[in-house]
Amino acid sequence: MAATNSLKEIQTTCCYCGAGCQLLFTVDPAANKILDVHPVQGRTNDDKACLKGWYGWDYLNDPQIITKRIREPMIRKHGKQSPLEVVSWDEAIKFVADNLTKIKQKWGPDSILGAGSARGPGNEPNYLMQKFIRACIGTNNIDHCARICHAASVAGSMQTIGEGAMSLSIPEIEDAEVIFNIGYNASASHPIVSRRIVRAKEKGCFIICADPRITETARIADLHLQLKGGTNIALTNAMANVIVNEGLQDVEFMKAHTKDFDAFWEIVKDYTPEYSAKITGLKPDDIRLAARKYASSKHSVILWGMGVTQFSQGVEVVKSCCSLGMLTGNFGHYACGTGPVRGQNNVQGTCDMGVLPNVYPGYQSVTDPKMQEKFEKAWGAKLSNKVGLALTRVPERVVHEKDPAKQIHGYYIFGEDPAQSDPDLEELRETLDKIDFVVCQDIFWNKTTLHADAILPGTAWGEHDGVYTSSDRGFQRIRKVVEPVGNIKDDWEIISLVSTAMGYPMKYNNTEEIWNEMIDLSPKFTGATYEKIARQGSVQWPCWDKGPQDKGTMYLHEGGKFATPDGIGIFKTSPYHDPTEVENKDFPLTLCTVREVGHYSVRTMTGNCRMLRNLEDEPGWLEINPADATVLGISHKDIVRISSKRGKVLTRANVTERVKKGAVYMTYQWWIGACNELTISSLDPSSSTPEYKYCACKVEKIGDQKWAWEEVGRQYADLRTQMHINKELSA
Ligand SMILES: Nc1nc2c(c(=O)[nH]1)N[C@H]1C(S)=C(S)[C@@H](COP(=O)(O)OP(=O)(O)OC[C@H]3O[C@@H](n4cnc5c(=O)[nH]c(N)nc54)[C@H](O)[C@@H]3O)O[C@H]1N2
Ligand SMILES: Nc1nc2c(c(=O)[nH]1)N[C@H]1C(S)=C(S)[C@@H](COP(=O)(O)OP(=O)(O)OC[C@H]3O[C@@H](n4cnc5c(=O)[nH]c(N)nc54)[C@H](O)[C@@H]3O)O[C@H]1N2
Ligand code: SF4
Ligand SMILES: [Mo]
């Protein structure tokens, strides 16, 4: 629809995945209504968007399907048992500030933890969130959902190639000659990145897909390695073994740019294709073919996702993937390298902003005295040099820690829903209820807000300005499309008010002022001014210089110079070990948890978009192989009960050949069929990322399907009551 004089056209970046698609909204400002949206030309998306880009903004109309917008600040005035009451902003801010101050005085700064948000808010409020936790509270206990996502990619890449982000850019993918896609399902997770994989195929690229499921990428792959879940490292080690034994490595590149090959070979030498085949269930010749193909080009790209990182051995697999790149000279030029494709719209950005327990903004270490001094001076506060707590360690420091002096007593949760997205939800709920004071700053009622002592309502994507960082290090603007409704404030303003009330004043007039403070403190980002981002559409970091000649960086490690302190890449890998909880007599199947294309993470947003809800709704699905379904007497679309050592839920069976016998899959988007009631909180020792992709489970037939559907209906109604909805559920 063309904009008339009274209508406005506003371009912004999509708020769902890290592909960073550009969308153009047509708005009627007088009615405060969105009339139309369509994708427009952007660096990463050309002029395309997926169904979430087209239909994912309806939550701004608050249709109240699974939950509803929070429009007023609320507090529990008289302790945990008292109801949440609507109060003024002044009262809410004072209540939060007083309670956090009391906890800080009694138990010290390290008894408080803050969680930032990789979603709607954008970079500026996250910069303020970590500044608040560090400078006002006085601790590095600041983290966010990258922990449960790509933290393993950051840790593993840092230890080998020195930089945790994608080394290449999304558009380069289509010019790869070989793609090794491992544990990544782009067609569901990043459809517009998936389009680049399809285009690569059209241009003649050889695609290897390592995934236990037949995903869409597996379907178009030239070689599908349908390995047993949890065995990635046995595959990547074997590929390295073949490359070296057949003399396919790039000796020149290795000599000039890498070290520690001997220690790497000590491990890899045992991983012959025959040995690996016993662990992975693959054919030795398929492993050989994968290795030969990968080593055959200087335009080989490795793309990976949660099927690599969400294991207790995730970091090791990342190191092994980076080592494959070094072994074959696939770094430092166009269309090669490593692509840990960051999931959320702004998870790269939230890491960039230092919402991590070990680094300030711009990846500057909290343990480096020079950095500490620099930030102390800039922020006018004494800072801690102790690395903070990872958010997945909170239950350990609450329910499993007996000494109150070592416990977490205050948890400020900004734009995350751990009571839906963290593993082992029963333990998580117990944790939230034991913490003295929980603050939730969100846009919707979610499962975590039910445990909050104070709720601070923020504006949503579409209602505020800022900058997001796409998966490939690209800063892009987001813009206000409609005016917010209700007694709500921008996230950056809420954090500033709480900090000021606690005696550490923060005064900003807009997001650009915050951004300018941040880029001046972060050399890698310094050149990325609002003006440059607007002019170019996107600025990829590193961008060191404000001048027009520094346009940003398309790919990293130019000429083989790695981001390690001495510029040399370090070979690393590990031997294979089993996941923590394997199938057994009581729980004979394995459970892996993945994603839905039409719904997003905890679903507060896509669950409240009418088009998307009509595609898929509660209680979600369980993918199960026909052979397992037959033995259990389960038919397609039956409601079934699935349980693990930790809990049980109802969901529907999707009987499909796409999954292997013995392994079942759920998507983590569902609130009734909530798979995190079942998952295990076992963590990778170095990244603290949970093993969401593997635990033991049992699936049971339910004889009385009429009862089962009624039970799902009751649970849905109860959920909607808990989320304060009194509207009828529309058909
Ligand atoms: N079983 C299983 N669990 C998983 C995973 C899995 O694969 N399997 N994946 C994990 C991964 S990779 C991730 S990243 C996490 C994601 O988990 P979360 O980060 O918890 O989920 P999100 O849906 O991204 O958003 C969290 C909250 O942000 C709020 N929000 C959105 N925009 C704004 C805003 O502008 N301001 C404020 N204040 N709030 C806002 C939303 O309403 C929502 O409540 O889940 C993890 N959980
Ligand atoms: N529609 C939609 N898009 C999203 C999200 C969403 O919730 N909905 N979430 C966003 C977020 S937060 C993230 S992090 C990204 C994640 O996006 P992806 O990384 O694609 O995440 P998953 O789908 O969880 O897992 C990827 C694949 O790993 C495979 N896998 C499981 N176990 C193994 C194994 O042992 N080895 C190998 N090789 N593969 C295995 C699974 O079968 C699955 O196909 O998606 C983002 N995009
Ligand atoms: S691919 Fe990702 S960024 Fe693009 S429209 Fe879809 S959800 Fe939005
Ligand atoms: Mo994620």
Side-chain angles (χ1 to χ4, degrees):
M1 183 185 299
T4 66
N5 283 345
S6 59
L7 304 184
K8 261 179 139 172
E9 287 196 323
I10 303 165
Q11 186 175 329
T12 191
T13 307
C14 175
C15 62
Y16 292 105
C17 85
C21 299
Q22 294 302 301
L23 305 173
L24 187 71
F25 283 86
T26 306
V27 185
D28 179 351
N32 202 27
K33 275 252 165 291
I34 293 169
L35 302 179
D36 185 34
V37 61
H38 58 267
V40 287
Q41 185 64 36
R43 184 181 58 77
T44 56
N45 70 313
D46 287 341
D47 56 354
K48 304 290 187 291
C50 80
L51 75 174
K52 295 182 293 304
W54 284 99
Y55 303 113
W57 50 273
D58 189 27
Y59 74 85
L60 288 166
N61 295 317
D62 200 12
Q64 305 192 7
I65 299 167
I66 53 166
T67 172
K68 79 179 198 188
R69 282 294 292 273
I70 312 165
R71 305 281 194 197
E72 303 278 352
M74 268 168 282
I75 62 172
R76 291 188 205 276
K77 286 187 180 168
H78 310 291
K80 295 243 178 241
Q81 299 313 318
S82 66
L84 281 161
E85 292 175 57
V86 171
V87 292
S88 68
W89 272 104
D90 285 349
E91 190 173 351
I93 297 290
K94 187 173 180 319
F95 184 73
V96 171
D98 287 352
N99 276 286
L100 291 178
T101 304
K102 260 190 252 157
I103 292 170
K104 180 178 160 180
Q105 281 166 355
K106 185 164 179 198
W107 302 108
D110 290 340
S111 69
I112 297 172
L113 183 126
S117 179
R119 298 303 317 289
N123 283 323
E124 295 85 345
N126 278 292
Y127 170 79
L128 288 195
M129 183 68 186
Q130 60 83 40
K131 182 178 176 182
F132 162 66
I133 293 290
R134 293 194 156 110
C136 175
I137 304 283
T139 174
N140 287 311
N141 287 346
I142 174 78
D143 204 0
H144 75 288
C145 68
R147 183 66 45 210
I148 52 184
C149 179
H150 268 292
S153 302
V154 178
S157 304
M158 291 295 285
Q159 291 174 45
T160 48
I161 55 174
E163 187 69 81
M166 281 180 76
S167 82
L168 79 162
S169 299
I170 290 167
E172 287 174 75
I173 294 171
E174 68 174 69
D175 289 324
E177 289 174 346
V178 180
I179 293 175
F180 176 39
N181 180 99
I182 173 164
Y184 176 47
N185 183 16
S187 60
S189 313
H190 297 113
I192 295 302
V193 177
S194 170
R195 186 174 159 267
R196 301 281 180 179
I197 302 175
V198 173
R199 283 169 70 102
K201 168 92 184 171
E202 286 164 358
K203 293 182 184 181
C205 175
F206 189 92
I207 296 174
I208 307 159
C209 178
D211 199 304
R213 286 191 305 161
I214 305 172
T215 59
E216 288 301 292
T217 310
R219 271 161 46 108
I220 65 159
D222 298 278
L223 178 62
H224 179 202
L225 301 173
Q226 200 173 4
L227 76 181
K228 175 166 167 53
T231 65
N232 289 323
I233 206 154
L235 168 64
T236 51
N237 281 346
M239 286 172 67
N241 178 292
V242 172
I243 291 170
V244 176
N245 274 331
E246 299 192 1
L248 307 174
Q249 70 273 43
D250 184 336
V251 178
E252 294 291 297
F253 184 92
M254 287 166 65
K255 230 189 252 166
H257 305 295
T258 69
K259 64 180 179 194
D260 291 359
F261 172 77
D262 291 348
F264 175 75
W265 181 247
E266 252 327 285
I267 294 168
V268 161
K269 71 175 179 0
D270 296 334
Y271 285 80
T272 60
E274 282 67 26
Y275 176 62
S276 165
K278 284 191 203 131
I279 302 170
T280 57
L282 297 170
K283 292 195 192 101
D285 278 349
D286 283 350
I287 300 173
R288 280 194 186 91
L289 178 61
R292 287 173 192 154
K293 282 288 177 185
Y294 177 74
S296 71
S297 171
K298 290 287 175 253
H299 297 290
S300 290
V301 164
I302 309 185
L303 301 176
W304 74 77
M306 299 297 102
V308 161
T309 60
Q310 290 176 337
F311 278 104
S312 57
Q313 211 173 6
V315 175
E316 303 307 320
V317 182
V318 170
K319 291 185 202 164
S320 185
C321 288
C322 294
S323 297
L324 282 175
M326 290 190 281
L327 203 56
T328 55
N330 267 305
F331 276 115
H333 52 269
Y334 182 76
C336 71
T338 45
V341 194
R342 307 303 292 262
Q344 290 169 310
N345 60 301
N346 198 42
V347 65
Q348 183 60 56
T350 310
C351 292
D352 296 348
M353 294 306 108
V355 183
L356 292 169
N358 60 337
V359 285
Y360 296 117
Y363 304 96
Q364 303 174 83
S365 172
V366 299
T367 57
D368 178 343
K370 279 208 215 77
M371 293 306 138
Q372 187 185 345
E373 200 189 318
K374 168 171 134 178
F375 281 93
E376 284 183 341
K377 209 164 138 218
W379 293 344
K382 180 86 197 99
L383 302 175
S384 164
N385 63 358
K386 188 175 138 203
V387 171
L389 189 71
L391 60 77
T392 42
R393 304 263 172 207
V394 172
E396 266 169 49
R397 292 278 295 272
V398 178
V399 285
H400 303 293
E401 175 58 68
K402 298 287 165 264
D403 179 358
K406 293 187 187 149
Q407 285 171 344
I408 292 295
H409 293 276
Y411 197 2
Y412 192 139
I413 303 171
F414 162 36
E416 283 202 355
D417 187 7
Q420 168 72 9
S421 58
D422 278 8
D424 192 355
L425 290 181
E426 185 159 317
E427 183 184 69
L428 202 275
R429 287 189 291 268
E430 189 187 341
T431 302
L432 290 174
D433 288 337
K434 280 206 171 135
I435 294 177
D436 302 343
F437 192 66
V438 175
V439 185
C440 279
Q441 182 169 321
D442 210 287
I443 57 176
F444 278 103
W445 288 96
N446 61 23
K447 286 188 181 171
T448 309
T449 53
L450 303 178
H451 302 265
D453 298 281
I455 298 181
L456 305 175
T459 53
W461 171 85
E463 298 167 346
H464 54 231
D465 290 316
V467 174
Y468 288 171
T469 318
S470 63
S471 299
D472 59 353
R473 299 170 276 106
F475 295 128
Q476 306 192 111
R477 287 296 313 275
I478 56 157
R479 295 183 179 87
K480 185 194 267 195
V481 175
V482 289
E483 288 302 321
V485 175
N487 191 16
I488 66 183
K489 288 183 188 294
D490 284 354
D491 286 310
W492 62 265
E493 197 188 340
I494 301 172
I495 298 161
S496 303
L497 289 170
V498 173
S499 184
T500 304
M502 286 183 73
Y504 181 79
M506 285 189 187
K507 176 91 191 82
Y508 301 92
N509 294 302
N510 52 47
T511 52
E512 189 171 6
E513 286 183 12
I514 304 167
W515 183 258
N516 287 339
E517 175 179 317
M518 187 284 296
I519 59 175
D520 283 345
L521 286 165
S522 311
K524 265 184 196 167
F525 313 149
T526 296
T529 59
Y530 262 37
E531 186 276 326
K532 197 185 278 185
I533 300 171
R535 185 158 37 82
Q536 289 185 199
S538 166
V539 176
Q540 286 175 279
W541 65 257
C543 178
W544 310 91
D545 185 346
K546 289 203 166 92
Q549 64 284 7
D550 187 351
K551 294 187 160 46
T553 308
M554 183 163 57
Y555 53 82
L556 301 176
H557 319 302
E558 173 95 55
K561 191 177 179 316
F562 287 103
T564 49
D566 60 3
I568 300 293
I570 310 163
F571 277 103
K572 282 197 168 125
T573 190
S574 272
Y576 164 80
H577 68 69
D578 283 338
T580 312
E581 184 183 83
V582 296
E583 46 281 37
N584 54 57
K585 192 165 67 34
D586 296 333
F587 298 101
L589 299 170
T590 65
L591 170 67
C592 177
T593 59
V594 292
R595 283 159 171 78
E596 281 297 306
V597 70
H599 284 285
Y600 195 90
S601 284
V602 307
R603 217 166 109 256
T604 49
M605 290 154 81
T606 53
N608 285 307
C609 294
R610 283 161 285 196
M611 282 294 271
L612 300 175
R613 178 259 165 149
N614 287 343
L615 290 175
E616 284 299 345
D617 201 2
E618 300 285 355
W621 297 94
L622 170 89
E623 293 181 332
I624 182 167
N625 183 276
D628 290 325
T630 305
V631 171
L632 294 166
I634 290 167
S635 304
H636 187 53
K637 293 191 177 175
D638 277 359
I639 301 260
V640 296
R641 182 177 294 107
I642 171 162
S643 53
S644 78
K645 242 179 173 175
R646 292 155 292 279
K648 55 175 189 281
V649 294
L650 298 181
T651 186
R652 268 167 302 179
N654 176 9
V655 179
T656 169
E657 298 276 1
R658 282 191 182 228
V659 303
K660 295 210 296 187
K661 190 170 167 305
V664 297
Y665 291 75
M666 293 172 83
T667 56
Y668 81 101
Q669 273 65 57
W670 308 105
W671 292 28
I672 294 170
C675 64
N676 281 326
E677 300 291 346
L678 317 171
T679 49
I680 185 168
S681 58
S682 147
L683 306 177
D684 179 290
S686 96
S687 69
S688 298
T689 307
E691 196 150 53
Y692 287 120
K693 292 285 185 272
Y694 208 103
C695 71
C697 74
K698 176 169 76 182
V699 177
E700 290 166 285
K701 177 189 168 78
I702 299 177
D704 188 347
Q705 285 292 306
K706 184 165 169 287
W707 170 86
W709 276 107
E710 283 165 6
E711 177 57 21
V712 167
R714 275 191 294 274
Q715 290 186 18
Y716 207 148
D718 179 47
L719 189 67
R720 298 180 84 245
T721 309
Q722 287 182 54
M723 297 296 140
H724 307 272
I725 301 175
N726 41 36
K727 244 167 120 166
E728 282 297 304
L729 186 61
S730 57

